[in-house]
């Protein structure tokens, strides 16, 4: 039943449908054009953007270089560290999991607060450290209970470890977390958990030990979770440092002075290599690796025996009588006295308006140079110091290393104080007086030296006048091979004068009149020489002298004299120099000299054992 | 009247013949489009049938069955059911709207067990059926009368108002566009449409002045997604990066970094075209557009060859709806129109839209099989 109306409707429909179909075609062409524009014209630009989306560059932390002693013993190493992490997204409820973990591994309220804070801040798939440095047993127990601890992830990381604990604390130092001020150019420092050297060699040589960061190009998803690694540039591990320190000698020395507040330096007199550099008391650097507790740190900080100070290079002490060799040599070189001239000691010495005293109240009577050194007569040295004058003593002391830093690879090295007329006028605004010279003549007054400087002085006195520079680190191997070893310059002085000094130092220990005769060695190959010193910490007042000079044992610890000794051995053809200071230890001959004897004996015996071993 | 009825009866064919007249080529094209969807759903799951591809295949098979059933049922039955179907859809829409408003869980769908049915999807079909019937029953003269516009405008306005309240802007636009297309081809006066088109500009300006600043901000961000690369512009930018970086040949199956690494939002539903463009490149995109074009061309050819106005308008309405789905979705994926929730026909994951579109294709096939059936203005069984 086709009507006109139907036919008209059909025509209208066809027209209008055709119009709309045309519109569809135009719109579809628009889609095609857009596709072409994006995928052909914009392809490279969008590929770049897609790659920027998916590729993330991640730093790979380098392995920190090891520190070894001269024979290759580990002093600072990287140790696997058992730790426990929690991955929040895998835990149904972080607090419940921690509660469950608490039964195996106690978690303090503070730790818990820290963990929960980190959980809130970080993305849910990133692990949060729950506990570090676990012992194997605890770690194993956590592992066994993993099914009941949703989200807990046992992890094996790497931490710095000092197997010798407090033995080398002052030399090696320690590492700790980077603080905000230290973040600089090296992006490594921004890695979570990255540690840098904070003290000792770890700090001074941090750049060499640190190594170079590697990187890894990883594909990440929209959340930043790593999907796979695309390429990798491995990190370059830090340099291994080899010290001149002999762990065994260091250990012996440290044990020997364990109960004292003391410093001992042992050096090879020809090469300047330091075999032992001890400062007691010390601390365990391992405590600092993970952040030391306030309580522990404050205890170290407030200890009057200053365990955090490296006394061997940072401690400046009056050298006392150990300085007399410098005065004697200056006088001999200046020609103001000779070996044979005797000076009378009646225990007092008048200079200006004051009276100076000799340590021996009865006086020494007539003494010449060698005996004066052996008996450590103060009056003799007041006299010759006055004759030679402070400026020539100053010059001689400078040639033996006083008043300068050697640039040893340990932080905090002090230069001591080598006084002179000019120094006193400019620094104190006071003219130098005769009494000042007399004081310096016996190593008191203004002169200050570090144990390291004392040891260098001793080495230069007995090595034939070579100005050795102390060193604690073997040079890098490649440098060592290409560059000739630096030959130390020679200190110009008369060999005969030097022989007189040596005779005096030999007599201190090996002559019946010597103050440390009790410490002599009968075995010629193990015999040694040296010089004692007792440095007054507090001036003895005239009032005290009138009553009675108190013995050291009667004074409180802090007021007692420092006991010093500088020694060398063996007597024939010396090889080692030793300097010792025992803070408030009393007399040099009774307290410090025996330490030197024991240390040298140990070294000689070790040498003998090695030779026998080599011969067999 | 009697004659028409008798004629109609005479024209009905046996079922087997109807099945044999089913256009197999078009059925194959539909299957191919759906298979593009299965492939992409398998890929975005990282190479797995779960969680999307398997369920999509099951729904598609059920939908295909429904499509064939619709195609072989006499077109006059559909004309008879047009109004009841429309009112059923409207009631369902009211039910979900009321449920949503009373806060019993803001739902847009009714659970059918194997899928969630959205009444708004049903309404797209129902409105076209109802409008096609309405215009079928009018003479050329009646069509031009303005009072004859009241019913169709109400038919359109009622569901649109309900859907806008949900709020589902994308679906309401599709309903309006489908309805208006039938009004247009049904024969309403041309100048009404010209005036309507011209009214869009002042309306847009008026709407802009009434918008709150944050709404204006959204519009500006659409016009320039780089304004807010991590916020509202994020989807748009990431989708463009995915499409652009696919290049001519694509990154390969399951190799699209944007989709596999989750930089793309809604990658299994509204933004699935970007996955196709990223992994299969321009070639993939053009191929899918080609398949859609074949389907649309077929529907338009059917329109021209059907003898009844109802069949013509029905088939045409379905073609327009299908085209709008395709165009809005792809244009949105390519950053040409704002992000509105419209799926890619037969490809995006989701049951309701797939059912709507298969039912729509079923009506086109139905019109094709019954192209020679003439229906009186009074209706088949009226």
């Amino acid at each position: 039943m086709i009507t006109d109306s139907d036919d008209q409707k059909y025509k209208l429909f066809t027209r209008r449908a055709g119009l709309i179909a045309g519109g569809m075609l135009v719109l579809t062409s628009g889609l095609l054009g857009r596709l072409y524009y994006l995928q052909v014209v914009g392809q490279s630009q969008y590929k770049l953007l897609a790659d920027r989306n998916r590729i993330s560059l991640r730093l790979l932390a380098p392995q920190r270089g090891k520190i070894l002693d001269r024979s290759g013993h580990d002093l600072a190493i990287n140790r696997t560290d058992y730790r426990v992490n929690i991955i929040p997204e895998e835990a149904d409820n972080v607090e419940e999991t921690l509660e469950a973990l608490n039964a195996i591994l106690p978690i303090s309220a503070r730790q818990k607060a820290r963990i929960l804070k980190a959980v809130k801040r970080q993305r849910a798939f990133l692990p949060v450290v729950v506990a570090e440095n676990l012992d194997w047993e605890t770690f194993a127990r956590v592992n066994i209970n993993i099914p009941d601890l949703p989200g807990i992830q046992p992890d094996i990381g790497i931490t710095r470890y000092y197997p010798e604990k407090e033995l080398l604390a002052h030399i090696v130092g320690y590492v700790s977390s980077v603080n905000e001020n230290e973040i600089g150019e090296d992006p490594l420092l921004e890695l979570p958990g990255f540690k840098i050297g904070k003290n000792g060699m770890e700090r001074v040589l941090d750049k060499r030990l640190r190594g170079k960061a590697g990187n890894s190009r990883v594909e990440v998803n929209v959340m930043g979770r790593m999907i796979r690694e695309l390429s990798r540039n491995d990190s370059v591990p830090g340099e291994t440092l080899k010290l001149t320190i002999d762990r065994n000698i260091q250990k012996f020395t440290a044990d020997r002075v364990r109960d004292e507040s003391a410093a001992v330096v042992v050096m090879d007199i020809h090469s300047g290599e330091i075999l032992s550099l001890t400062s007691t008391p010390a601390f365990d650097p391992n405590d600092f690796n993970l952040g030391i507790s306030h309580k522990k740190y404050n205890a170290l900080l407030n200890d009057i025996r200053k365990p955090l100070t490296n006394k061997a290079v940072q401690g400046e002490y009056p050298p006392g009588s150990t300085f007399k060799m410098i005065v004697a040599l200056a006088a001999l070189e200046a020609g103001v006295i000779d070996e044979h001239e005797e000076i009378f000691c009646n225990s007092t010495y008048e200079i200006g308006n004051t009276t100076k005293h000799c340590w021996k109240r009865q006086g020494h009577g007539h003494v010449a140079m060698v005996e004066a050194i052996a008996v450590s007569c103060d009056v003799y040295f007041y006299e010759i110091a006055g004759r030679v004058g402070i400026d020539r003593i100053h010059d001689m002391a400078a040639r033996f290393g006083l008043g300068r830093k050697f640039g040893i690879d340990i932080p905090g090295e002090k230069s001591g104080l080598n006084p002179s007329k000019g120094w006193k006028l400019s620094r104190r605004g006071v003219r130098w007086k005769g009494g000042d010279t007399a004081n310096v003549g016996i190593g008191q007054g203004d002169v200050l030296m570090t144990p390291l400087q004392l040891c260098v002085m001793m080495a230069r006195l007995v090595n034939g006048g070579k100005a050795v520079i102390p060193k604690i680190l073997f040079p890098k191997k490649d440098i060592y091979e290409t560059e000739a070893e630096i030959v130390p310059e020679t200190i110009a002085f008369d060999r005969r004068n030097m022989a007189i000094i040596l005779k005096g130092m030999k007599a201190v220990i090996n002559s019946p009149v010597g103050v440390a005769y009790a410490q002599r060695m009968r075995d010629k190959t193990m015999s040694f020489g040296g010089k004692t010193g007792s440095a007054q910490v507090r001036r003895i007042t005239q009032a005290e002298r009138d009553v009675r000079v108190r013995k050291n044992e009667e004074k409180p610890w802090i007021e007692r004299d420092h006991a010093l000794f500088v020694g060398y051995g063996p007597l024939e053809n010396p090889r080692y120099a030793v300097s010792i200071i025992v803070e408030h230890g009393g007399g040099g001959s009774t307290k410090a000299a025996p330490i030197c004897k024991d240390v040298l004996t140990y070294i000689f015996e070790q040498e003998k054992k090695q030779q026998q071993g080599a011969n067999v | 009247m009697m004659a028409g009825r008798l004629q109609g009866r005479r024209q009905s064919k046996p079922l087997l013949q109807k099945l044999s007249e089913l256009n197999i080529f078009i059925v194959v094209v539909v299957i191919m489009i759906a298979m593009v969807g299965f492939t992409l759903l398998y890929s975005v799951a990282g190479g797995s049938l779960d969680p999307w591809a398997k369920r999509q295949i099951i729904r598609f098979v059920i939908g295909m069955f429904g499509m064939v059933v619709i195609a072989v049922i006499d077109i006059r039955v559909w004309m008879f059911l047009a109004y009841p179907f429309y009112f059923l859809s409207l009631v369902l829409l009211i039910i979900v709207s009321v449920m949503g408003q009373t806060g019993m869980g803001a739902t847009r769908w009714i659970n059918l067990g194997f899928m969630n049915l959205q009444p708004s999807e049903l309404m797209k079909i129902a409105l076209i059926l109802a409008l096609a019937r309405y215009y079928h029953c009018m003479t050329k003269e009646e069509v031009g009368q303005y009072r004859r516009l009241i019913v169709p405008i109400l038919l359109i306005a009622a569901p649109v108002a309900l859907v806008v309240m949900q709020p589902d802007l994308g679906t309401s636009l599709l309903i309006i566009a489908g309805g208006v297309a039938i009004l247009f081809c049904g024969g309403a006066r041309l100048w009404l449409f010209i005036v309507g088109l011209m009214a869009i500009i002042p309306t847009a300006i008026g709407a802009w002045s009434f918008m709150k600043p944050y709404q204006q901000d959204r519009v500006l961000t659409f016009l320039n997604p780089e304004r807010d690369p991590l916020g509202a512009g994020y989807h748009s930018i990431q989708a463009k990066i995915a499409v652009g970086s696919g290049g001519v040949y694509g990154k390969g199956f399951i190799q699209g970094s944007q989709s596999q690494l989750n930089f793309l939002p809604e990658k299994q539903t509204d933004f699935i075209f970007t996955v196709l463009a990223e992994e299969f490149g321009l070639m993939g995109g053009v191929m899918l557009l080609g398949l859609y074009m074949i389907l649309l061309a077929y529907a338009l050819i059917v329109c021209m060859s059907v003898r009844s106005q109802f069949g013509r308008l029905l088939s045409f309405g379905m073609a327009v709806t299908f085209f709008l789905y395709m165009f809005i979705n792809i244009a949105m994926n390519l950053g040409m129109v704002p992000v509105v929730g419209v799926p890619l026909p037969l490809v995006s994951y989701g049951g309701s839209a797939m059912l709507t579109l298969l039912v729509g294709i079923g009506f086109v096939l139905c019109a094709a099989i019954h192209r020679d059936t003439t229906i009186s203005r009074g209706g088949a069984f009226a």
Side-chain angles (χ1 to χ4, degrees):
Chain A
M1 201 174 93
I2 311 285
T3 62
D4 278 358
S5 175
D6 282 341
D7 193 42
Q8 280 175 329
K9 266 160 73 178
Y10 179 67
K11 277 181 182 157
L12 184 73
F13 173 83
T14 312
R15 227 173 24 244
R16 292 199 174 175
L19 208 64
I20 288 184
M24 288 181 182
L25 209 61
V26 170
L27 289 176
T28 307
S29 315
L31 290 183
L32 283 171
R34 179 72 174 175
L35 266 182
Y36 177 84
Y37 172 74
L38 289 176
Q39 297 195 298
V40 179
V41 180
Q43 185 188 359
S44 51
Q45 180 205 342
Y46 286 114
K47 268 208 170 120
L48 206 71
L49 289 172
D51 279 348
R52 201 181 291 166
N53 264 348
R54 80 186 171 104
I55 294 168
S56 155
L57 206 62
R58 301 209 166 162
L59 280 181
L60 299 174
Q63 175 103 255
R64 197 171 173 83
K66 291 208 285 187
I67 301 178
L68 309 173
D69 91 332
R70 64 185 298 122
S71 33
H73 292 112
D74 292 332
L75 303 182
I77 56 168
N78 304 305
R79 196 169 67 156
T80 50
D81 160 29
Y82 300 114
R83 55 180 86 164
V84 169
N85 297 337
I86 186 163
I87 302 174
E89 72 170 3
E90 287 172 17
D92 307 324
N93 181 326
V94 173
E95 282 197 57
E96 272 173 29
T97 299
L98 291 179
E99 207 57 53
L101 184 67
N102 196 35
I104 305 161
L105 173 67
I107 299 164
S108 69
R110 236 180 73 197
Q111 268 177 300
K112 196 170 160 184
R114 174 188 62 79
I115 295 163
L116 290 176
K117 207 172 133 197
V119 165
K120 244 182 235 163
R121 202 181 47 231
Q122 284 182 193
R123 288 194 169 152
F125 57 83
L126 291 174
V128 175
V129 177
V130 173
E132 289 180 287
N133 273 356
L134 301 175
D135 57 85
W136 170 248
E137 217 170 286
T138 313
F139 186 67
R141 249 185 299 155
V142 172
N143 270 285
I144 290 166
N145 288 291
I146 278 301
D148 304 324
L149 300 167
I152 290 292
Q153 174 208 48
D155 184 29
I156 298 175
I158 282 178
T159 44
R160 198 66 161 167
Y161 181 65
Y162 306 101
E164 299 294 347
K165 306 218 162 66
E166 75 282 348
L167 183 59
L168 290 120
H170 296 113
I171 299 171
V172 171
Y174 50 83
V175 296
S176 190
S177 304
V178 182
N179 68 37
E180 276 169 38
N181 303 332
E182 288 160 336
I183 290 175
E185 285 150 52
D186 196 339
L188 257 181
L189 300 187
E190 288 167 48
L191 272 184
F194 193 77
K195 310 255 164 94
I196 60 166
K198 287 293 174 88
N199 209 339
M201 212 159 251
E202 295 269 34
R203 187 180 101 201
V204 178
L205 302 174
D206 187 65
K207 290 237 165 78
R208 282 167 69 181
L209 286 163
R210 194 188 294 167
K212 286 215 170 65
N215 59 54
S216 152
R217 281 172 74 240
V218 295
E219 190 171 78
V220 295
N221 71 3
V222 68
M223 300 293 289
R225 184 202 297 272
M226 179 178 151
I227 303 298
R228 64 192 163 121
E229 189 170 62
L230 300 170
S231 69
R232 168 187 276 261
N233 249 333
D234 277 323
S235 56
V236 181
E239 196 185 320
T240 297
L241 299 180
K242 198 169 181 186
L243 305 191
T244 63
I245 297 287
D246 182 314
R247 184 196 62 171
N248 296 334
I249 299 174
Q250 177 87 8
K251 188 157 173 48
F252 180 85
T253 346
D255 284 346
R256 180 65 182 77
V257 294
R258 177 171 302 280
D259 301 325
E260 308 286 352
S261 176
V264 180
V265 182
V266 181
M267 189 195 277
D268 181 314
I269 60 168
H270 298 294
S271 64
E273 287 167 11
I274 295 168
L275 300 169
S276 165
L277 187 121
T278 305
S279 174
T280 56
F283 57 90
D284 187 348
N286 293 305
D287 287 343
F288 285 82
N289 280 357
L290 301 164
I292 191 167
S293 71
H294 269 281
K295 201 177 149 198
K296 223 169 183 177
Y297 186 69
N298 283 333
L300 288 173
L301 210 60
N302 297 329
D303 191 329
I304 52 163
R305 305 204 301 171
K306 306 251 175 292
L308 293 176
T309 306
N310 183 359
K311 299 184 178 86
V313 300
Q314 297 175 331
E316 293 174 304
Y317 305 94
S321 302
T322 59
F323 193 64
K324 285 175 178 166
M325 283 83 79
I326 300 295
V327 180
L329 193 58
L332 287 170
E333 286 285 304
V336 296
I337 195 158
D338 65 26
E339 187 185 355
H340 306 294
E341 185 181 337
E342 292 185 342
I343 290 169
F344 182 72
C345 165
N346 65 355
S347 191
T348 57
Y349 182 77
E350 307 290 332
I351 180 157
N353 301 328
T354 59
T355 307
K356 303 272 174 201
H357 297 267
C358 184
W359 67 272
K360 196 171 182 182
R361 290 175 71 202
Q362 304 91 319
H364 288 100
H366 289 279
V367 286
M369 176 78 71
V370 172
E371 196 187 347
I373 295 174
V375 302
S376 201
C377 175
D378 291 336
V379 170
Y380 181 90
F381 283 94
Y382 292 140
E383 172 63 24
I384 65 166
R387 288 189 198 173
V388 71
I390 183 61
D391 284 340
R392 278 187 284 197
I393 295 173
H394 168 90
D395 291 347
M396 187 55 74
R399 287 155 78 181
F400 282 85
L402 178 54
R404 61 165 286 193
K405 293 176 187 172
F406 299 109
I408 196 163
D409 298 306
I410 306 177
E413 189 189 354
K414 291 274 169 62
S415 59
L417 179 54
N418 188 6
S420 63
K421 281 181 183 164
W423 165 83
K424 185 151 192 188
L425 199 61
S426 67
R427 280 302 174 84
R428 298 257 170 95
V430 185
R431 283 175 60 94
W432 188 269
K433 286 188 254 160
D436 297 332
T437 310
N439 283 339
V440 171
I442 61 160
Q444 295 279 166
D446 296 312
V447 62
L448 292 174
M449 290 179 82
T450 67
L452 178 67
Q453 286 174 326
L454 283 168
C455 196
V456 170
M457 176 191 83
M458 192 68 224
R460 290 181 179 185
L461 280 170
V462 296
N463 70 4
K466 278 181 292 180
V468 288
I469 301 288
K471 63 179 180 196
I472 198 159
L473 187 67
F474 283 111
K476 249 193 211 174
K477 206 156 193 194
D478 46 348
I479 296 174
Y480 196 66
E481 277 167 1
T482 51
E483 269 179 48
E485 208 180 339
I486 303 153
V487 181
E489 56 178 308
T490 307
I491 307 168
F493 47 66
D494 194 323
R495 303 269 143 188
R496 282 169 301 181
N497 291 338
M498 184 53 101
I500 298 164
I501 307 290
L502 282 174
K503 229 188 269 176
M505 290 198 293
K506 182 182 174 184
V508 168
I509 288 150
N510 300 288
S511 154
V513 298
V515 289
Y517 184 60
Q519 308 305 327
R520 69 195 178 278
M521 296 290 294
R522 304 207 191 275
D523 185 344
K524 271 244 162 149
T525 58
M526 296 171 80
S527 59
F528 69 104
K531 181 74 197 79
T532 58
S534 302
Q536 271 176 28
V537 176
R538 198 173 146 273
R539 208 188 152 83
I540 301 169
T541 60
Q542 192 55 49
E544 275 179 289
R545 275 187 205 284
D546 292 343
V547 184
R548 183 175 70 92
V549 176
R550 284 183 300 172
K551 284 185 181 161
N552 265 308
E553 296 74 45
E554 297 166 343
K555 295 187 226 172
W557 183 75
I558 201 75
E559 288 181 15
R560 291 179 199 169
D561 296 345
H562 293 320
L564 289 98
F565 190 82
V566 291
Y568 67 98
L571 271 182
E572 309 293 324
N573 203 4
R575 285 195 307 281
Y576 304 105
V578 182
S579 68
I580 293 154
I581 176 154
V582 181
E583 285 188 337
H584 312 294
S589 56
T590 53
K591 199 80 191 195
I595 296 170
C596 182
K597 176 187 164 184
D598 293 345
V599 168
L600 284 174
T601 304
Y602 175 80
I603 295 172
F604 296 147
E605 274 171 358
Q606 289 295 109
E607 273 184 352
K608 271 186 192 157
K609 267 185 212 160
Q610 271 174 13
Q611 273 167 5
Q612 280 162 4
N615 291 340
V616 170
Chain B
M1 288 294 164
M2 279 304 284
R5 220 142 103 200
L6 288 171
Q7 207 178 5
R9 270 200 197 128
R10 238 187 0 258
Q11 279 172 346
S12 72
K13 307 166 194 169
L15 184 65
L16 269 174
Q17 194 191 337
K18 283 183 178 182
L19 277 176
S20 70
E21 283 180 23
L22 198 65
N23 193 322
I24 295 302
F25 176 67
I26 289 309
V27 173
V28 169
V29 168
V30 167
I31 292 173
M32 281 171 75
I33 294 172
M35 279 174 70
V36 170
F38 305 151
T39 310
L40 296 179
L41 290 175
Y42 180 82
S43 173
V44 292
S48 163
L49 284 173
D50 285 313
W52 299 304
K54 199 165 69 191
R55 297 181 65 183
Q56 181 85 340
I57 291 169
I58 293 167
R59 286 172 186 159
F60 178 71
V61 170
I62 294 169
M64 279 296 276
F65 181 75
M67 178 183 89
V68 173
V69 168
I70 285 167
V72 296
I73 286 175
D74 195 302
I75 192 162
R76 287 165 297 185
V77 174
W78 294 123
M79 185 157 141
F80 175 73
L81 288 175
Y83 288 147
F85 187 41
Y86 176 86
F87 285 111
L88 175 73
S89 300
L90 198 64
V91 168
L92 288 175
L93 253 184
I94 291 168
I95 289 172
V96 291
S97 296
V98 169
M99 271 165 62
Q101 273 170 2
T102 51
M104 301 287 286
T107 47
R108 291 177 184 176
W109 55 78
I110 292 163
N111 196 333
L112 293 186
F114 69 97
M115 62 168 285
N116 292 318
L117 182 76
Q118 291 189 31
S120 60
E121 290 291 331
L122 226 50
M123 181 49 82
K124 286 174 198 156
I125 304 285
L127 178 67
I128 289 166
L129 278 166
L131 287 172
R133 172 164 183 171
Y134 182 79
Y135 278 99
H136 176 84
C137 300
M138 265 185 282
T139 61
K140 172 78 173 62
E141 289 67 36
E142 285 169 333
V143 159
Q145 291 165 1
Y146 297 122
R147 61 187 176 89
R148 302 283 180 187
L149 278 172
I150 296 168
V151 173
I153 285 174
L154 283 177
L155 284 177
I156 296 171
V160 165
L162 288 167
V163 174
V164 164
M165 270 166 18
Q166 280 185 353
D168 187 346
L169 200 66
T171 305
S172 46
L173 278 174
L174 280 174
I175 293 174
I176 293 173
V180 170
I182 304 220
L183 252 64
F184 183 69
C185 292
R189 295 271 169 119
L190 193 60
W191 69 267
L192 285 171
F193 297 96
I194 295 168
V195 167
L197 269 177
M198 292 199 315
I200 289 174
I201 294 166
T203 309
I205 293 169
W208 175 263
S209 60
F210 274 105
M211 276 187 210
K212 300 215 164 74
Y214 77 92
Q215 289 170 320
Q216 295 182 341
D217 205 53
R218 276 189 201 167
V219 175
L220 288 175
T221 301
F222 157 66
L223 295 172
N224 180 17
E226 277 75 13
R227 259 171 63 92
D228 186 11
L230 293 176
Y234 179 82
H235 287 199
S236 232
I237 291 172
Q238 292 302 332
K240 269 198 276 183
I241 291 174
V243 173
S245 64
V248 177
Y249 303 104
K251 295 177 185 171
F253 185 47
I254 323 185
Q255 300 293 315
S257 66
Q258 290 284 102
S259 51
Q260 299 298 329
L261 302 174
N262 282 330
F263 287 99
L264 284 177
E266 306 291 325
K267 57 186 177 177
Q268 80 279 14
T269 56
D270 291 352
F271 279 90
I272 200 162
F273 185 80
T274 53
V275 180
L276 173 76
E278 184 183 26
E279 297 194 347
F280 299 97
L282 186 65
M283 312 299 269
V286 168
M287 189 205 75
L288 184 65
L289 272 174
L291 289 171
Y292 282 141
M293 287 296 109
I294 291 171
L295 201 58
L296 280 169
Y298 172 75
L300 290 171
I301 289 166
V302 168
C303 293
M304 305 297 174
S305 57
V306 171
R307 291 179 69 173
S308 65
Q309 179 76 343
F310 175 72
R312 286 198 290 261
L313 289 174
L314 180 62
S315 176
F316 184 75
M318 295 309 164
V320 168
T321 304
F322 193 92
F323 174 80
L324 285 173
Y325 266 100
M326 179 206 84
F327 177 79
I328 293 176
N329 178 274
I330 296 179
M332 171 178 96
N333 274 252
L334 301 183
M336 299 164 82
V337 302
V339 176
V340 286
V342 175
L344 187 62
L346 304 179
V347 176
S348 284
Y349 178 76
S352 285
M354 170 166 279
L355 200 71
T356 309
L357 290 155
L358 285 175
V359 166
I361 297 165
F363 282 121
V364 174
L365 290 168
C366 176
I369 292 169
H370 302 92
R371 62 168 61 90
D372 294 326
T373 307
T374 54
I375 315 166
S376 73
R377 260 205 300 286
F381 304 106

